[in-house]
Amino acid sequence: MLRGVRTLAGRPDHGPGGSGNRSRGGVHPDELDSIIRTISSELNVAAGDPDLAVAVAKNAAKTVQLFCVKSEQLLCTQGEASQVIGPLTDGQRKNVAVVNSLFRLHGAVAKVISGLTSNPTLAEQALRSSLEGVQVLMAAAVEPLLQSVSDSLEAIIITMHQEDFSGPLSSGHRPEVPCSLYMRELQGFVSRSVADYFQHFQCLDFIYGRTESIAQRALLLFLRHASLLRPLGEGGKMRLAADFAQMELTVAPLCRRVSDLGKPYRMLRSFRPLLFQTSELISSSAVVGELIPYSTLLSFLFSRAPGELRSPHQRAEWSIARYSQWLDDHPSERDRLTLIRGALEAYVQSVRTRQGKEFAPIYPIMLQLLQRATSATS
């Protein structure tokens, strides 16, 4: 049994690792169909004999595994696999072809499994186990590209700090442009990434499952850096509010529906109204702690403080990029609140050193919110 499968999978001139297909990147569709037909037909023949069915299923699983090994050998792992500057490279085109071949094999074998109603569980388990390997290889094949796209999104988002949000309201009380320069660049990059790279994959659900994670990360980074902007004038608030609205449109191509992005999407929606609320209302908002972390709102309140009350990264003399990396490395609210507490304590010390008679109005609000946060996380 499965002599045909072993022959097709192992034949040096025609399998996924054969020289005849290196220019395409994946196995020829006709030969892939032949492998699938052989697996299906021999499993159907063995269906009446439980012991034989298990043996054939295990052999078919080995064929799938061999297909994965040879497909992995075809993958481009050099720098061109992760470039996102220009159009699809030959190496990226090869990786797309390999992933699409693996996707076709996965779907076909899954269909075979669904038709094995009379086969024992062991046969089904053997086949399903081999399909897990297919999924792992598909994920490994697209990971370099996905990581580059995610890194590029972060690099663009962080440039919001190069723009001026300190201005007052314009005479018409509306921002002069619908969104900021960095947001337009972000939108252009996402649109190009989808068109140049992701649309070539046939496994849409598989790709969406990963690009949605990129979109979630982008939303969280946007909220992080929006909360760190200072000084933030009334005109800057209006432009930032426009950026919030545009951010939903920006990540839309990376997911089926933006609402599918879950908590990051809800955080984006909940944060925007806070831009225009008083500090007292912000500190007592129902979303604080429940949806938006205390540390994020405290970071935002620094934008309303005088220069003497420095943000945590300013006190530590860190760049925005270094602080963002620190936040990635310290997801614990307790760690983040400790750093914020240090900034507030440094401010108190500076006021006492210059023998100031009172603190900035924002300070007691922030201190009270920090105390609530500390109690909630202890």
Side-chain angles (χ1 to χ4, degrees):
M1 283 292 178
L2 280 184
R3 289 191 300 273
V5 175
R6 286 198 297 272
T7 301
L8 284 166
R11 192 160 52 194
D13 293 331
H14 299 287
S19 59
N21 289 297
R22 287 193 181 276
S23 62
R24 296 180 60 84
V27 69
H28 191 281
D30 292 343
E31 296 179 16
L32 180 56
D33 288 341
S34 181
I35 292 175
I36 293 167
R37 282 197 304 270
T38 305
I39 290 176
S40 179
S41 63
E42 297 202 8
L43 281 169
N44 287 333
V45 170
D49 186 332
D51 293 334
L52 182 58
V54 172
V56 171
K58 288 182 178 179
N59 205 3
K62 290 179 181 178
T63 299
V64 173
Q65 292 165 2
L66 179 59
F67 188 94
C68 288
V69 170
K70 294 193 172 185
S71 295
E72 185 174 13
Q73 293 170 354
L74 278 178
L75 288 174
C76 173
T77 57
Q78 298 173 346
E80 66 171 304
S82 58
Q83 74 83 31
V84 289
I85 299 175
L88 210 65
T89 64
D90 289 342
Q92 289 172 324
R93 207 173 297 278
K94 179 185 290 186
N95 289 354
V96 168
V98 170
V99 171
N100 286 341
S101 293
L102 290 167
F103 172 64
R104 286 194 62 226
L105 178 65
H106 185 284
V109 175
K111 186 176 180 180
V112 169
I113 292 174
S114 66
L116 298 179
T117 54
S118 59
N119 274 5
T121 303
L122 288 176
E124 182 177 330
Q125 288 177 344
L127 289 171
R128 289 196 183 281
S129 178
S130 70
L131 291 189
E132 291 175 5
V134 174
Q135 289 271 11
V136 169
L137 182 55
M138 289 173 65
V142 300
E143 179 57 29
L145 176 61
L146 293 169
Q147 188 60 56
S148 282
V149 170
S150 184
D151 290 346
S152 297
L153 290 177
E154 179 169 9
I156 295 171
I157 289 171
I158 204 170
T159 62
M160 73 165 66
H161 296 282
Q162 298 174 12
E163 299 191 32
D164 185 6
F165 286 87
S166 63
L169 279 174
S170 61
S171 57
H173 293 272
R174 289 184 179 181
E176 297 177 358
V177 292
C179 61
S180 303
L181 291 175
Y182 76 88
M183 184 59 67
R184 279 184 275 176
E185 183 181 357
L186 197 66
Q187 290 174 341
F189 177 75
V190 170
S191 297
R192 185 174 64 80
S193 295
V194 172
D196 287 357
Y197 311 121
F198 299 136
Q199 74 170 3
H200 299 286
F201 291 99
Q202 297 169 358
C203 41
L204 292 180
D205 288 341
F206 175 81
I207 293 297
Y208 270 137
R210 282 143 184 83
T211 56
E212 284 175 357
S213 297
I214 293 177
Q216 289 174 322
R217 166 77 173 164
L219 291 181
L220 292 175
L221 284 170
F222 172 76
L223 287 169
R224 171 187 296 177
H225 289 287
S227 71
L228 293 173
L229 287 173
R230 65 179 302 187
L232 186 61
E234 293 303 313
K237 290 179 184 178
M238 291 292 290
R239 183 150 61 89
L240 189 57
D243 291 344
F244 268 77
Q246 290 294 321
M247 193 64 190
E248 291 189 36
L249 300 175
T250 299
V251 299
L254 298 173
C255 53
R256 298 174 187 85
R257 294 177 300 275
V258 181
S259 57
D260 290 341
L261 300 179
K263 186 175 181 180
Y265 170 71
R266 296 194 301 273
M267 289 173 63
L268 183 79
R269 279 295 186 92
S270 299
F271 196 110
R272 187 186 183 200
L274 300 181
L275 294 174
F276 305 100
Q277 291 184 8
T278 64
S279 300
E280 291 84 357
L281 284 177
I282 290 174
S283 65
S284 61
S285 172
V287 301
V288 179
E290 291 296 323
L291 182 57
I292 302 175
Y294 286 102
S295 60
T296 301
L297 264 300
L298 282 163
S299 295
F300 174 61
L301 290 179
F302 275 101
S303 69
R304 303 183 174 193
E308 188 181 8
L309 178 44
R310 296 183 295 172
S311 299
H313 68 282
Q314 293 173 330
R315 172 176 173 265
E317 297 184 349
W318 291 346
S319 66
I320 285 288
R322 181 179 176 185
Y323 186 40
S324 186
Q325 183 60 56
W326 186 90
L327 292 171
D328 282 341
D329 295 338
H330 297 79
S332 166
E333 267 291 271
R334 181 174 298 182
D335 290 346
R336 296 178 177 188
L337 292 172
T338 297
L339 200 65
I340 290 172
R341 180 180 296 279
L344 292 180
E345 291 174 349
Y347 166 69
V348 171
Q349 186 60 43
S350 69
V351 172
R352 289 174 176 168
T353 298
R354 65 173 171 79
Q355 297 182 342
K357 296 183 179 180
E358 59 182 18
F359 297 118
I362 192 67
Y363 170 73
I365 297 173
M366 295 178 70
L367 181 61
Q368 184 181 34
L369 185 58
L370 176 63
Q371 292 170 342
R372 280 175 49 205
T374 303
S375 300
T377 56
S378 61

